[in-house]
Each structure stands twice: as structure tokens, then as C-alpha cells.
Amino acid sequence: MKTKITTVLIIVTLISISAYSQNVVNLKIKGSDTVLPLSQKEAETFMKKNKSAKITVTGGGSGVGIAAFVDGSTDIAMASRKMKMSEKLKLQDAGKAYKEVVIANDALSVIVNPANKVSQLTREQIEGIFTGKIKNWKEVGGDDEKIVVYSRESSSGTYEFFKEHVLNNKNYGTSILMMPATGAMVQSVSQTKGAIGYIGFAYMEKNVKALKISYDKGKTFIEPNVINAKNKTYPVVRPLYYYYLTKDAAKVKTFIDYILSEEGQKVVNEVGYISLK
Amino acid sequence: MKKQFFLKVIIALFIMNTSLVIKAQETEQSPFDTLANSVNKLKDDMDLLKRIKISGYLQPQFQMSDSNGIASFAGGNFNANSDKRFMLRRARVKVSYETLLSQYVFQIDATEKGFAIKDIYAKFTEPWAKAVSLTVGCMNRPFGYEIGYSSSLRESPERGRMSQIIFPGERDLGAMLTFQMPKTSKWNFIKAEAGMYNGTGSGAVDFDYKKDFIGRIRMDKSTKSEKISYGLGFSYYDGGYRQGRKNVYTNAADSSGLMAFVLNNDTTNYGAIAKRTYMGGDFQLNFDLPIGMTTIRGEYIQGQQPGTSSTTASLTTQPTTDNYIRNFNGAYFYFLQNIWTTKFQFVAKYDWYDPNTDVAGDVIGQTVKSSADIKVAKTGKNDLKYTTIGLGLAYRWDNNVKITAYYDMVKNETSKNVTGYTKDLKDNVFTLRVQYKF
């Protein structure tokens, strides 16, 4: 009798442990530097609510995150661009089915040093600056000051999005300075009077100035802010993505559901991105 | 006494000074500095190790053929009294060492058939535009898509019959220039390769003075939505073999108007070059559809192939018999369908190889007549066209393991004038392969 009771107790304990361990959220998230502050904040608030949850978030760029996702070293890839066909083919070859979730939107902002008197540019002028055709601020209504152009590295989704949607797929100029992370770009622009760069909206700080942009050749200039991004008058808005394996749906569901919930989307706005609703 | 005193003072000062220096050095190193130094050292070591990459794959397989001892391009001929076999089709280990502007590759294949070197090459990229690279050594020939496409990625167990005949072993010894703008350039989607090669393949020593030119240009793009990607390539081969005999046969009509091999035995043929020229075009399309990823891929090659009466395969040694020059063509087409989001992939492949496009059907092997002016030889079994339909199902277990079941249905051209080929041979092959990749 005693043995039977002991056996039942052991089984019950084991079932409880396994049920408990299934509910424990233990996730690795890697990728886009743009999505990084959002994921960090979401993970932080989520872990406060779920004491047993453990979420580690690291940046590196969209390309780095998706590469880690393909080789299985992260559960979720953060990306500020859509997954490329070449990456999809690699996943297919590995027999991995994946899901794509848009978690927020971002208004990509072109930033300059606050001391710069230029506060607005047309898309064509931005293209001229980043492709190296416009080299001095006086050519676009500023002081006689050399333009120092900062860009993200080519593994960054922001780099690719900016090239495609702002530079009309034109090549970046040869004299641009590549920044390994968005934070480094903000710092450099804040310290260099003639600097210009581009960042995800959440990285916006007081020590840099966001430019108004015109996509109708100078007729109207729109400021990058949440209202303009939501009513779609600001032209450079992009979705931010999470990618996860279909087989991991149960594992990531709680966290992704949280981000998409009212509370999670509130965090999106707090961080400086544009919520989905 | 005074001298000794001064000596003692100097020694004492020296010791004090030394201990102060040591102390000073010790105090300068905070625990964070020590940790940072250790991390930096580890990082340096890791950076060095990251340059070395080891990869490889194993392909054990079981095969069944329609009959004993068939000649096959599905992994080689079957033994005379065998229609089933286990074999280790490929077992590759590749080691590469990469720096920012150079790459060194060594790859071997070790199976039950022996040990073979597949790749040994070094690649250097110029440091300015980083667009031009020079590769020297034993490497894949830059012709077409299938030749350079890794066997570990290919969806069918083997390359098409044509690829195996005109480029046996795929590799060759030579030097190649590659032009491709860096990833940051909008012209990165174009890649051009051109090289000079022995033309005899990787396992053979060149036997003549003729070096072969191979060139390929390709482009790969995808749509903005990343739902469709497409690629296009054009290849050209200009080479040849030294003719070891003066007798050269080419296709023409005999005295009675029948297609035959007509002899040219001009003495200048001896030592001259028999031209080996190929031209090819290939395409790849990938669609990300709701039913799963779909891929369509195709390649067509035509050209002139020097050989002998008994083989149309590219030569690896100086032929000791008469030279036969044939016009050929061939192609392959793949249709690959991922089954929704499962791990299964359906594979369909159709390929053909016509070693002699000047003759077909019952014309092959017919008796031809020589006259006083024209000496002729009849065509034969080596001039028959082959078509193969392959159907398969692949299961991708994970990153490392893939299981493929594949059935090759081989159909040969028939001729009532070729003994043994008046009907289709029983030479279909079923392959069950497990691939372990690391």
C-alpha cells in the first residue's frame, strides 16, 4: 500500500514538474538593432509579470538575427525588413517552416546635429547626400559646412530599407561612414556638427534633430512622429518583424501574444514606435 | 669600508626601486583590466579560429535496379550479377581558411571506392573595389548551374547524364577570374567568371598543349515583396583535344545519301586540335506560395564533342583510336514543390542527352557504304539519345539530416539497327539515401 502511494506521488510530482516546465518561457531573441529596444522593454515588462520567464535579447542586425535563426541558435529573429528569398530557401533546405509576425511599425527618421539650421529635406536631396552628389550643407540651404554622412552596416535591415525606400535603390556614396549600431550613429551625429544619419524612431534623442521629409518634391514636408506615421502622411514607415519556427509556436506564443496585446502595444508606443492598433 | 657602504646603499636602492616598480605595475592592473585583457586575448584567439571552417557530408544509400549489371548514371554501373547495392555515394570533408581578402579550400572524398581529392584552391580578392578575385588550383568549372551546385544541396541524387558525360568529376585544374561587386553595391546581382583550364578534369594530367577557356555570366534577383526570386545564366566553353591520329570522323551523308561518320584522313590532322565547344543557358525561379515554396530550374547545353567510336565522354587521356566528333545537345528541368509547411519536398526532374544530334532512330547503326572517294563508318549505340524522368520525395529531418527516396526512369532511343537497343532497356533505378551534413 505504502509503495503504491509513493509511486502515485512520484508520478503526480513528475507530471506537475513537466506541466510547469512547459509553461516556463525561456527564449532567445536576436537580430535587428532597430527592434532591440522594443524587444528589451517588452521582455522586461513581461518578465516582471511572469517571474519564471527568462528572455535574453541581443542585437547585431536583421541579417545576423536571421542567420542565427536559420542555424537554430535563436528562437526568435528580430528584423526591420522582410526575410529574403535566399534566407527562405536556406530554411526550406533545413526543413524548417516559419511564421512571420508584424509586432509594430517604425517611422524611419533622418537625423542631423541640433546645431544644423537645416530642418527639412526632400527625398531627392537626401538621395543626393547619401549617394555623395551633395557634399556641403550650403547646397541644401544650410551653412557652408561639409556633410559627414553616417550609415548602418550592410547587415542591417535599416540599411537595406533606407537604400530601397529613400535612395530609390541607388548606391550609397563611397565616403559614408559605417556605424556598427544605431546607438553609435546617434552619438556620432550628436557630436558632429555637419553630420547626417538615419535611425529607427525609438532611438530619437534630444541631442539629435529629426528632419521633416518631402516625398512630393518640396510641396509638403512631414515631421516623423507617431500621429503622422499612424495617419500614413509620413512616408517612411516600415513594419518590424518577428520570425519563429512553426514547431516553436507553443514556446513563443505567450510572449508574442503579450506583445500583440493592448498592454504590449502600449509598450510599443512608450518605446517610441507605432503600435499596430 | 666606504666603498662597501656605498655598494650596499646602491643595492638597497635598486631592490627598493625594483619592488616599487613591481608594486606599481601590480597596482595599475585592476581586476577589470585583467578581465579585459583576458577577454581580448580570448577574442583574438576566437577571431583566428573563426577563420577555419570545417564542413562535410555523408551520403550512404541503398539502390535497386531493374536488372543485373546495368550501366547507370545513378551512382555508377552495377556489378554484373547485382541489381541491389549499399554504397557510400559521397563522404566529403571540407576545410577552409578565410581572411578578409583570401580563401583557401581543401576538400576530400573518402568512400569504399577510395580516397579522392575534390577541391584544392586558393582565392584572392583585390583590396580596392573588392570586386575581382583570382582563384587558382583544382576547382569547380564555371559552366552552367548544375555543375557547381553542391551535391549536398541538390534535390536529385545525381547530376543529369549530360553533366556527368561532358564534365566528369565536375572539377578541373586551372585559374579563374571572378567579377562581382560587393554586397553593398546595386550591381552585386551580376557575377561573371572566366578561366583557363586543362580540360581533362581533376583526376587527370593534361596530355596536350591546348588549354580550355570557360566563361559564365549570371544574375540573381528577387522581387520587392521577396516572394519571387529569379536567376539567369549563360555559359561558354571553348577548348579541344590534340588528335593522336590522323583519322577524324564527322557526321555527313555517305555516297548513297545516308547519314554516317565520314572519314577525313588528312595527315595534318595528326597533332591538330579537335574543337570542343559548348554553349549553355540556365534559369532558376523560386516562388513563395501558400502551398509551399516552388522551384523551377532548367538548363540547356549544345555543342561539339570530340570522342571516339566507343565513347562520347570528355577524354582524360590521349585517345589511341580514331577521333569521332559529334554535335550534341542536352537539358534538364527540375520542378520542386515543398509540401505546405511540412518537412517534405516533392522532386520531379526530366533530362535528356543526345550525344549525336545528326542521327536519330533507325538511322543509327544502319549499314553505310564507302566509295573510292568517301570512307565512312556507321553510327552505333554511343549515338543513341537518353531521356530520364526522376521522381522523388525528400524529408528534411533537421539542419543536418535529409532522407530522399528517388526513382529514375531511364529511356533510351531505340534502333532496329543497333543490337541490344531495339527496345528500351530495363535500367530504371530506385535510390534511398540518407544524408548527414555537418
Side-chain angles (χ1 to χ4, degrees):
Chain A
M1 186 62 189
K2 217 175 179 182
T3 323
K4 273 184 184 171
I5 291 167
T6 315
T7 313
V8 169
L9 278 173
I10 288 170
I11 290 168
V12 168
T13 312
L14 284 173
I15 290 169
S16 316
I17 289 168
S18 87
Y20 173 78
S21 59
Q22 271 174 10
N23 285 330
V24 170
V25 177
N26 190 349
L27 292 176
K28 277 183 276 180
I29 302 174
K30 191 171 187 173
S32 164
D33 278 333
T34 305
V35 192
L36 181 69
L38 174 60
S39 291
Q40 279 173 330
K41 188 74 183 168
E42 295 280 10
E44 207 177 287
T45 51
F46 181 80
M47 285 190 288
K48 265 184 198 165
K49 287 184 68 167
N50 303 272
K51 298 287 180 201
S52 58
K54 194 186 165 199
I55 301 172
T56 41
V57 189
T58 45
S62 302
V64 173
I66 293 172
F69 182 58
V70 172
D71 72 27
S73 56
T74 188
D75 301 306
I76 293 174
M78 308 181 274
S80 59
R81 59 160 171 83
K82 273 187 110 52
M83 191 183 284
K84 291 179 186 174
M85 272 299 270
S86 54
E87 292 160 341
K88 289 179 189 178
L89 288 166
K90 278 181 192 163
L91 277 165
Q92 180 196 272
D93 194 54
K96 291 178 174 177
Y98 68 91
K99 293 265 185 207
E100 174 188 283
V101 186
V102 174
I103 55 159
N105 287 307
D106 174 32
L108 191 69
S109 312
V110 178
I111 53 164
V112 293
N113 188 285
N116 195 326
K117 71 177 186 189
V118 173
S119 57
Q120 59 184 37
L121 287 173
T122 65
R123 190 207 64 77
E124 289 77 12
Q125 285 172 324
I126 297 171
E127 183 191 303
I129 290 169
F130 278 87
T131 54
K133 280 179 196 152
I134 299 171
K135 294 180 191 306
N136 194 299
W137 282 110
K138 71 178 177 189
E139 294 175 65
V140 289
D143 293 335
D144 184 5
E145 174 104 36
K146 191 191 165 202
I147 303 176
V148 181
V149 186
Y150 289 104
S151 161
R152 282 299 316 281
E153 287 177 326
S154 58
S155 61
S156 153
T158 311
Y159 168 97
E160 292 192 25
F161 183 86
F162 191 78
K163 185 179 172 184
E164 195 177 315
H165 292 86
V166 184
L167 307 187
N168 267 0
N169 260 328
K170 301 240 170 33
N171 246 3
Y172 286 90
T174 48
S175 60
I176 56 163
L177 300 164
M178 296 286 197
M179 289 285 117
T182 310
M185 190 184 287
V186 173
Q187 196 185 3
S188 300
V189 172
S190 71
Q191 291 168 351
T192 316
K193 197 189 163 203
I196 188 167
Y198 55 85
I199 56 169
F201 196 56
Y203 280 91
M204 202 60 216
E205 286 177 18
K206 278 179 186 166
N207 52 5
V208 290
K209 182 169 79 174
L211 296 178
K212 290 180 186 170
I213 295 178
S214 169
Y215 261 61
D216 54 8
K217 301 198 169 157
K219 283 179 202 152
T220 48
F221 286 88
I222 313 291
E223 186 188 344
N225 60 35
V226 174
I227 297 162
N228 291 339
K230 276 205 164 175
N231 64 24
K232 291 178 181 168
T233 50
Y234 186 71
V236 205
V237 174
R238 58 177 172 162
L240 303 176
Y241 302 95
Y242 266 12
Y243 289 99
Y244 63 91
L245 294 181
T246 313
K247 73 172 179 65
D248 291 338
K251 190 179 174 187
V252 301
K253 190 179 182 301
T254 330
F255 182 58
I256 290 180
D257 282 352
Y258 171 75
I259 295 182
L260 299 177
S261 72
E262 206 173 309
E263 194 183 341
Q265 289 297 298
K266 220 164 127 188
V267 174
V268 169
N269 289 329
E270 280 166 23
V271 172
Y273 288 124
I274 298 114
S275 59
L276 298 171
K277 290 165 197 165
Chain B
M1 183 66 190
K2 232 177 187 182
K3 216 176 179 182
Q4 270 186 344
F5 174 74
F6 278 120
L7 194 66
K8 279 177 187 170
V9 169
I10 287 166
I11 288 169
L13 282 171
F14 177 77
I15 290 167
M16 272 172 70
N17 193 35
T18 312
S19 77
L20 275 172
V21 168
I22 291 166
K23 232 178 187 179
Q25 277 174 347
E26 277 173 355
T27 50
E28 271 173 19
Q29 286 275 322
S30 73
F32 289 115
D33 290 335
T34 314
L35 183 66
N37 285 340
S38 303
V39 170
N40 280 338
K41 193 181 173 305
L42 276 173
K43 194 177 167 295
D44 289 346
D45 292 345
M46 278 301 291
D47 286 344
L48 198 69
L49 283 172
K50 268 186 187 172
R51 292 181 186 175
I52 302 166
K53 284 180 186 157
I54 300 172
S55 59
Y57 57 93
L58 262 84
Q59 293 178 339
Q61 64 186 29
F62 176 72
Q63 290 185 303
M64 279 193 300
S65 68
D66 271 0
S67 48
N68 286 343
I70 63 158
S72 176
F73 283 80
N77 298 343
F78 280 70
N79 277 337
N81 301 310
S82 170
D83 63 351
K84 293 176 218 48
R85 66 185 176 193
F86 283 100
M87 69 189 295
L88 197 53
R89 181 63 186 95
R90 295 175 185 88
R92 303 271 167 93
V93 179
K94 183 177 179 181
V95 182
S96 71
Y97 180 86
E98 286 175 35
T99 68
L100 197 63
L101 296 170
S102 64
Q103 186 189 21
Y104 310 86
V105 175
F106 178 71
Q107 184 176 205
I108 55 160
D109 190 32
T111 67
E112 75 275 17
K113 287 176 190 141
F115 175 91
I117 290 169
K118 302 306 287 183
D119 292 296
I120 302 183
Y121 63 81
K123 185 179 177 183
F124 308 97
T125 304
E126 47 82 22
W128 305 282
K130 297 183 182 70
V132 181
S133 307
L134 171 69
T135 311
V136 289
C138 180
M139 67 193 103
N140 263 320
R141 288 177 261 208
F143 191 98
Y145 188 86
E146 197 177 44
I147 290 299
Y149 193 51
S150 169
S151 297
S152 66
L153 298 172
R154 197 181 48 248
E155 300 80 4
S156 64
E158 302 301 332
R159 291 180 176 83
R161 179 180 290 253
M162 173 179 61
S163 301
Q164 293 189 52
I165 285 175
I166 65 172
F167 292 118
E170 301 90 45
R171 277 92 174 159
D172 202 354
L173 284 146
M176 174 177 75
L177 281 175
T178 305
F179 176 81
Q180 186 173 32
M181 293 299 284
K183 276 184 181 170
T184 49
S185 165
K186 68 173 175 180
W187 297 106
N188 173 257
F189 70 95
I190 295 176
K191 186 177 183 184
E193 296 162 301
M196 298 300 294
Y197 294 85
N198 280 344
T200 47
S202 60
V205 177
D206 199 5
F207 58 83
D208 62 20
Y209 56 88
K210 176 73 180 171
K211 296 293 160 280
D212 298 1
F213 168 84
I214 313 177
R216 172 166 162 79
I217 185 158
R218 65 175 288 192
M219 54 147 281
D220 290 287
K221 290 212 91 173
S222 56
T223 56
K224 255 186 179 180
S225 64
E226 295 292 344
K227 292 273 183 193
I228 301 171
S229 68
Y230 48 95
L232 206 58
F234 296 99
S235 308
Y236 180 65
Y237 193 111
D238 183 6
Y241 294 116
R242 178 186 173 275
Q243 295 170 153
R245 292 172 71 94
K246 67 173 183 175
N247 291 345
V248 178
Y249 289 91
T250 49
N251 280 123
D254 73 353
S255 54
S256 56
L258 297 168
M259 281 303 286
F261 280 120
V262 175
L263 174 67
N264 174 342
N265 58 1
D266 195 313
T267 51
T268 58
N269 286 337
Y270 178 79
I273 295 296
K275 272 189 89 69
R276 177 189 181 194
T277 53
Y278 314 148
M279 271 204 299
D282 61 89
F283 72 92
Q284 305 85 43
L285 289 166
N286 296 296
F287 303 93
D288 186 6
L289 299 174
I291 53 162
M293 188 83 81
T294 306
T295 299
I296 300 167
R297 188 185 302 147
E299 182 165 3
Y300 173 81
I301 300 170
Q302 67 169 45
Q304 191 180 75
Q305 175 80 331
T308 66
S309 64
S310 59
T311 181
T312 65
S314 294
L315 302 169
T316 52
T317 54
Q318 175 77 63
T320 53
T321 55
D322 293 345
N323 307 288
Y324 283 70
I325 297 168
R326 300 169 174 91
N327 294 314
F328 77 95
N329 69 20
Y332 65 81
F333 298 93
Y334 280 87
F335 173 76
L336 311 166
Q337 181 62 55
N338 232 42
I339 301 168
W340 288 282
T341 54
T342 67
K343 293 177 176 231
F344 287 97
Q345 183 184 48
F346 169 73
V347 184
K349 184 182 177 185
Y350 170 73
D351 80 75
W352 88 75
Y353 172 60
D354 186 353
N356 191 342
T357 52
D358 292 312
V359 287
D362 291 337
V363 172
I364 300 168
Q366 68 187 346
T367 306
V368 287
K369 285 178 189 167
S370 294
S371 65
D373 301 332
I374 311 171
K375 294 267 183 258
V376 295
K378 67 178 183 179
T379 51
K381 66 176 186 178
N382 290 299
D383 300 286
L384 295 167
K385 179 182 176 180
Y386 280 82
T387 57
T388 307
I389 295 172
L391 294 174
L393 192 66
Y395 179 75
R396 281 79 50 96
W397 187 289
D398 57 20
N399 268 2
N400 308 103
V401 181
K402 181 167 84 171
I403 302 161
T404 308
Y406 196 85
Y407 190 55
D408 266 318
M409 291 169 277
V410 186
K411 200 166 173 59
N412 54 277
E413 190 175 19
T414 58
S415 170
K416 64 182 181 187
N417 298 312
V418 182
T419 313
Y421 292 87
T422 53
K423 58 181 182 182
D424 185 35
L425 302 176
K426 283 183 161 293
D427 54 359
N428 295 349
V429 177
F430 171 75
T431 303
L432 183 64
R433 173 183 290 177
V434 183
Q435 175 176 282
Y436 304 93
K437 195 177 169 187
F438 59 94

